[in-house]
Amino acid sequence: MKKIKAVIFDMDGVLIDSETIEKKNMIKSAEINSLPFEDDFFELFLGCNNEMSYQILLDRYQDYKIVDKYLNDLEQLQTKEYKEGNIKLKPGTKEIIDYLRNNNIPYALATGSSYKYAELDFIQNGYNKIPFDHIVTGDQIINSKPNPEIFIKAANLMNISINDCLVVEDSPKGIDAAYSSGAQSCFVPDLVKANESILSKATYHKNNLLEVIQLIESLIKWHSIIGAI
C-alpha cells in the first residue's frame, strides 16, 4: 500500500451514469444510417476524446460524409436525453465529492468528454457548475487515453506528482493510461467488467464509489500512521 495525496476521476461510467445511454444511442444512430454496429464495437470508444472517436468511426466506415451524418444524428439523440433529464449521477458521486472537499484532499476531473458535455452532466444533476477546481476535458488534450497525457495534466494542475495520485476509472483504456502515467489506479466496473487484463494493471478494484471512499480513507490513514512513525 502506497500513500496518495490526491485523486483523479474519469467521468462517464464513473461519476455519471451515461455510458448505457450513449451505447444505446450509438447503436440507434447506426441503425438510422444503415451501418453495422456490434455491441463490442462500443467498447473501443470508452475513454476516448472526440478526435479519437471520430478516427475509430472513420476507420470502420471509410467515408467522412457517412461519419459526419452518423455523428449529427447521434448528437440529436444525445441532446434529447439531456432535455428529458435522463443523464444521472452514479451512486456515491455526491458523497465522494463531498468527502474529498470536506477533508481537504485535492481532486481533479480527467474526462475524454468535451467541457460542454461535462458541464451539462453536472448542471443537470443539481450543480451550478462542474464541482471540481481542477478539470481536464477531451478537447484540452492532444493525445487521448490510453496515452497518459490527461492524467499527467490533471496532476500538474493540482501541483502534485502523478506518482502520488489515485486514478478512478471504469475503462480498459483509462486503466492503461493510469498505469503508464505512474499513478495508482482503482477500477470501478460499469459496462466493462473486471478481467485479467484490467486487474493486472489496476492497483485496486472496488465495486462502487462508496467503496472507493473507504479505500481513500485507508490510504490517507495509512499515510498518516506511517508518517508518524
Side-chain angles (χ1 to χ4, degrees), residues 5-8 105-108 133-136 151-165:
K5 296 180 180 178
V7 185
I8 302 173
I105 301 169
Y107 60 102
D133 294 328
H134 309 287
I135 303 163
V136 187
F151 294 139
I152 293 171
K153 189 169 184 176
N156 288 343
L157 287 177
M158 295 186 286
N159 198 28
I160 293 174
S161 169
I162 188 64
N163 296 311
D164 294 325
C165 294

Side-chain angles (χ1 to χ4, degrees), residues 201-219:
K201 293 183 178 179
T203 317
Y204 306 101
H205 171 213
K206 298 298 177 182
N207 294 311
N208 54 60
L209 290 175
L210 297 178
E211 290 186 4
V212 177
I213 293 175
Q214 295 175 346
L215 171 64
I216 295 168
E217 280 185 316
S218 68
L219 291 173

Side-chain angles (χ1 to χ4, degrees), residues 11 50 75 79 82 111 113-123 130 137-140:
M11 186 181 73
N50 289 341
E75 174 90 5
T79 298
Y82 281 101
T111 174
S113 289
S114 66
Y115 190 95
K116 169 189 172 182
Y117 280 108
E119 189 172 49
L120 275 173
D121 285 334
F122 286 103
I123 289 175
I130 300 174
T137 55
D139 44 357
Q140 298 171 341

Side-chain angles (χ1 to χ4, degrees), residues 9 92-107 127 131 133 213 216-217 220:
F9 293 92
T93 294
K94 186 177 186 303
E95 289 84 351
I96 201 166
I97 291 172
D98 288 347
Y99 167 77
L100 293 167
R101 180 161 290 169
N102 292 338
N103 288 276
N104 297 312
I105 301 169
Y107 60 102
Y127 291 92
D133 294 328
I213 293 175
I216 295 168
E217 280 185 316
I220 296 294

Side-chain angles (χ1 to χ4, degrees), residues 11-12 16 18 21 75 77-87 113 116-122 124-125:
M11 186 181 73
D12 293 294
I16 305 294
S18 55
I21 291 172
E75 174 90 5
L77 291 168
Q78 288 291 96
T79 298
K80 184 172 181 287
E81 302 286 358
Y82 281 101
K83 287 181 178 179
E84 294 177 353
N86 295 330
I87 312 296
S113 289
K116 169 189 172 182
Y117 280 108
E119 189 172 49
L120 275 173
D121 285 334
F122 286 103
Q124 178 149 60
N125 285 284

Side-chain angles (χ1 to χ4, degrees), residues 29-66:
S29 183
E31 291 173 351
I32 290 170
N33 291 280
S34 301
L35 298 171
F37 197 105
E38 301 79 16
D39 278 355
D40 57 359
F41 184 46
F42 178 75
E43 293 184 14
L44 297 179
F45 298 89
L46 297 177
C48 295
N49 64 3
N50 289 341
E51 288 75 13
M52 184 176 230
S53 295
Y54 191 97
Q55 188 59 52
I56 291 170
L57 290 167
L58 187 59
D59 289 344
R60 178 70 186 275
Y61 300 129
Q62 298 292 308
D63 189 306
Y64 287 99
K65 290 183 179 179
I66 289 174

